[in-house]
Amino acid sequence: MPALVLLGAQWGDEGKGKATDLLGGSVDYVVRYQGGNNAGHTVVVGDQKYALHLLPSGILSPGCTPVIGNGVVVDPSVLLSELSGLNERGVDTSKLLISGNAHIITPYNVTVDKVTERFLGKRKIGTTGRGIGPTYADKINRVGIRVQDLYDESILTQKVEAALDIKNQVLTKLYNRRAIAVDQVVSELLTYADKLAPYVADTVLVLNKALEDDKVVLFEGGQGTLLDIDHGTYPFVTSSNPTAGGACTGSGVGPTKISRVIGILKAYTTRVGAGPFPTELFDEDGAALRRIGGERGVTTGRDRRCGWFDAVIARYATRVNGLTDFFLTKLDVLTGWEQIPVCVAYEIDGKRVEELPYSQTDFHHAKPVYENLPGWSEDISQAKTFADLPKNAQAYVKALEEMSGAPISAIGVGPGRDETIEINSFL
């Protein structure tokens, strides 16, 4: 049976939670492999809506084992709060596994994130202020705190001391903030040890054994392709690799075991935070997309920037991820437009460009080249097959498929789990 990667093909918020939940009943393990509680998934099951920030969407599927991989950064207080909230709603969270090698978001990581972003002023990146970037920086600088460190107070203390030696200098002398006490941080982190202990495991071993036993493993990215630290619109990106390659490093499963890579693609385009966005709309159409699509960040609470579909970035996502197919979401939001513009290329310094420019300068100056496709007015939320869609909606989907470079296997026509048209089976 396959190992599948499911990831965002735009700037995030494409509907990965719904897609993962849809597959949850058919897979044995769902693995978050990067990011932290700066991501957010909304999953609607029946009349119940669940907002997940750190937990894999598979936690809502009975019989599925949700896994937080080594590539994720974990804020213990957020994780425990999220688990408590689900337990209160009757969701069984006992099968959750957390990699002992995942890094901990400490209180000082959150402090550094917030004061640094404020200090940047107009040059700010638009981070969530949740300590994700500083935690990944500590990981790369080899002064990070891992989940397993919670179970050795001596090692934990030494690592916190090493991290705060420099950070306190920066906080006090550069940002005019108070120094953070080592013993205070250690004491707080130790309070989480017993509560997390039942979940901590060697997830690399667990996942590889599962694949050897022909179990189905689904890898779930936290953000989108264009927010990847290496392949996104740097520096307006996240601090990890939500692209397909990150699934391997963030879980300890080798690339030869991945059989399918599914990109989640919204029928239009959104992004949260600062950075270039060629198709962004500042008019009534943009406001309508935001209102009808409910475009507000699950984790940040910020209004999402909205624009028309961008085929250039869709093609780019297909290439850098090796996408085998797409799940197109929120097609229903476009109902009611007489004409729907689609960005098929960019104009940069008077030249037509059909692929994403590698130069940051060029991308900042990119102007969308639009092709108008006929819209539809019929309600599509009850459609169960592709043939049930209006002809113009069918043509829109086919055009996006041709422009994006990979087949569309499923279409979301509403927020609910059952409001999906499946064209080709994922499993």
Side-chain angles (χ1 to χ4, degrees), residues 29-253:
Y29 293 80
V30 175
V31 186
R32 263 290 296 275
Y33 59 83
Q34 52 76 221
N37 57 303
N38 57 339
H41 299 322
T42 299
V43 180
V44 179
V45 182
D47 60 353
Q48 295 292 309
K49 179 183 286 188
Y50 298 89
L52 304 176
H53 306 281
L54 187 56
L55 291 168
S57 300
I59 198 138
L60 299 175
S61 300
C64 178
T65 299
V67 179
I68 293 177
N70 58 273
V72 178
V73 291
V74 178
D75 185 320
S77 64
V78 171
L79 176 59
L80 292 169
S81 175
E82 198 165 338
L83 287 169
S84 176
L86 290 179
N87 289 333
E88 289 175 1
R89 298 177 67 179
V91 177
D92 180 13
T93 62
S94 62
K95 298 183 72 173
L96 174 68
L97 298 178
I98 305 170
S99 171
N101 288 337
H103 279 246
I104 294 285
I105 299 174
T106 66
Y108 53 77
N109 292 136
V110 177
T111 298
V112 169
D113 196 1
K114 290 179 178 178
V115 298
T116 302
E117 186 77 349
R118 284 198 293 268
F119 186 79
L120 287 172
K122 294 181 179 180
R123 294 177 289 111
K124 64 183 180 181
I125 303 298
T127 76
T128 59
R130 287 165 167 79
I132 279 76
T135 304
Y136 277 114
D138 281 359
K139 177 178 179 177
I140 298 303
N141 287 327
R142 290 162 291 187
V143 293
I145 309 298
R146 298 191 292 179
V147 170
Q148 61 174 279
D149 297 329
L150 299 180
Y151 305 97
D152 189 321
E153 185 174 350
S154 176
I155 288 178
L156 177 62
T157 302
Q158 291 175 43
K159 288 190 172 185
V160 172
E161 286 176 343
L164 286 179
D165 275 347
I166 297 175
K167 286 181 174 58
N168 275 335
Q169 295 289 326
V170 174
L171 286 171
T172 59
K173 296 180 179 178
L174 179 60
Y175 297 124
N176 197 30
R177 296 296 193 276
R178 291 181 180 177
I180 298 173
V182 171
D183 57 351
Q184 182 179 344
V185 173
V186 171
S187 296
E188 179 178 336
L189 293 179
L190 288 175
T191 64
Y192 301 122
D194 289 344
K195 297 174 183 177
L196 294 178
Y199 307 110
V200 180
D202 182 352
T203 56
V204 174
L205 181 61
V206 170
L207 293 173
N208 279 281
K209 281 192 171 182
L211 289 169
E212 290 170 7
D213 292 338
D214 291 331
K215 302 295 185 182
V216 183
V217 179
L218 176 65
F219 299 91
E220 173 188 64
Q223 287 90 11
T225 296
L226 274 295
L227 290 179
D228 188 278
I229 186 69
D230 287 294
H231 303 292
T233 49
Y234 190 89
F236 303 99
V237 292
T238 195
S239 301
S240 56
N241 294 106
T243 45
C248 297
T249 56
S251 68
V253 171

Side-chain angles (χ1 to χ4, degrees), residues 11 125 233 236 271 273-277 280 305 364:
W11 275 286
I125 303 298
T233 49
F236 303 99
R271 79 170 296 177
F277 182 2
E280 183 173 10
R305 301 157 64 190
H364 272 280

Side-chain angles (χ1 to χ4, degrees), residues 332 335 378-384 389 413-415 418-420:
D332 54 302
T335 298
E378 302 92 328
D379 177 17
I380 66 171
S381 62
Q382 302 303 310
K384 301 301 180 185
L389 293 174
V413 293
D418 58 344
E419 294 176 303
T420 304

